[in-house]
Amino acid sequence: MLHAEKLKVGATPVPQAEILRFIAPDLAEAGIELEVVEFTDYVLPNIALSEKSLDANYMQHKPYMDKMNEDRKLNLVGVGQVHIEPIGGYSKRIKDIKELKDGATILIPNDPTNGGRALILLHNSGLIKLKDPSNLSAKETDIIENPKNLKIKALEAALLPKTMQDADLAIINGNYAIQAKLTAQDALILEDSRSPYANIIAVRAGDENKESIQALKKAMQSQKVKDFIEKTYKGQIVPAF
């Protein structure tokens, strides 16, 4: 191969971009030049993929992609699971969830799927009761019991680590927790590692069987990547393949 094929993949910085850069040499050996484009939100990487300025992205779980497909009339599909980032509740004010006072303020992500996921974590931790705890798109209006009169405020996911000191508890996505140097051990409540919300490689429908995409999937689901995730993220990120 005279010219390496270029593969442009959008990703959030940690751990997605780090994992992609880790496998770049393997793709180079297969004649594929990997370009990682970093994003700090969850919307733009899907728009960019849909508009063909990316070949794939790696920054979301399937329920989020499905919701974006529906809301934005996109046609994206997942080609493989890579890892799970357990969502967790972190605090600068309390050391134990039992210390959470009546009327406490809890910050959650403001995008529909991660907001629902945060409410499910609060439900599973016994802090609130939801009408249907299996509904990933649960909203605050679905809370049927709130014995502590918790005040729930929704903010952009990326802002939560920076604003957590302004609340009693913040429900933070795994990747943003890592960026803020928070560990799974710091979480007062944590999603179970069997969470179904694995981060996936997403592509435009019809591109699933492209050789470069299949090479990316193979590299991302290798034993080498599994070992890298376990060694580097120490339980904050869990392999999902």
Side-chain angles (χ1 to χ4, degrees):
M1 190 179 283
L2 295 173
H3 298 287
E5 184 181 347
K6 272 204 168 179
L7 190 66
K8 210 168 174 181
V9 182
T12 31
V14 182
Q16 290 86 345
E18 292 176 348
I19 295 170
L20 283 166
R21 290 194 178 100
F22 174 72
I23 58 123
D26 299 328
L27 288 177
E29 280 180 26
I32 297 164
E33 183 190 333
L34 178 65
E35 183 186 342
V36 180
V37 184
E38 289 194 16
F39 292 84
T40 54
D41 80 313
Y42 295 139
V43 177
L44 292 175
N46 280 332
I47 303 298
L49 178 56
S50 187
E51 292 175 352
K52 300 189 177 180
S53 56
L54 295 174
D55 300 302
N57 70 38
Y58 170 42
M59 39 57 72
Q60 65 192 327
H61 48 62
K62 188 176 181 295
Y64 182 80
M65 182 187 70
D66 291 346
K67 188 88 175 78
M68 280 279 300
N69 276 339
E70 186 187 326
D71 292 350
R72 303 272 182 148
K73 306 288 181 280
L74 307 180
N75 195 12
L76 307 179
V77 295
V79 291
Q81 297 189 164
V82 182
H83 75 272
I84 292 162
E85 298 168 13
I87 199 167
Y90 300 86
S91 180
K92 297 274 189 196
R93 295 183 181 178
I94 59 173
K95 299 282 184 219
D96 190 297
I97 200 65
K98 295 187 185 101
E99 296 170 29
L100 199 65
K101 293 186 170 71
D102 281 13
T105 300
I106 298 182
L107 302 179
I108 67 170
N110 68 356
D111 58 277
T113 46
N114 285 304
R117 191 176 170 188
L119 292 173
I120 291 165
L121 176 62
L122 294 174
H123 170 97
N124 290 341
S125 304
L127 295 170
I128 60 169
K129 191 171 181 184
L130 291 170
K131 192 163 55 185
D132 176 10
S134 66
N135 174 20
L136 186 60
S137 301
K139 300 179 182 67
E140 287 167 61
T141 48
D142 296 316
I143 298 171
I144 52 173
E145 285 179 29
N146 183 358
K148 284 183 177 279
N149 292 309
L150 301 171
K151 295 180 181 71
I152 295 168
K153 294 184 179 176
L155 286 178
E156 192 182 325
L159 297 175
L160 293 173
K162 302 180 185 102
T163 52
M164 64 182 282
Q165 70 273 10
D166 301 329
D168 300 286
L169 189 72
I171 310 297
I172 303 174
N173 286 70
N175 58 323
Y176 293 127
I178 292 170
Q179 281 174 256
K181 304 284 190 285
L182 295 166
T183 70
Q185 287 72 38
D186 296 323
L188 304 188
I189 52 175
L190 191 68
E191 198 175 42
D192 194 283
S193 63
R194 291 168 297 178
S195 159
Y197 311 123
N199 267 230
I200 57 172
I201 301 158
V203 299
R204 290 180 296 279
D207 286 355
E208 304 95 311
N209 296 316
K210 274 189 169 179
E211 275 186 37
S212 56
I213 297 299
Q214 285 299 313
L216 173 66
K217 178 184 175 179
K218 185 181 175 188
M220 293 291 274
Q221 292 184 333
S222 64
Q223 184 63 44
K224 188 174 168 182
V225 165
K226 190 173 275 191
D227 294 343
F228 175 77
I229 290 172
E230 288 171 352
K231 186 180 170 189
T232 309
Y233 305 110
K234 299 177 172 62
Q236 189 81 2
I237 301 296
V238 182
F241 54 89

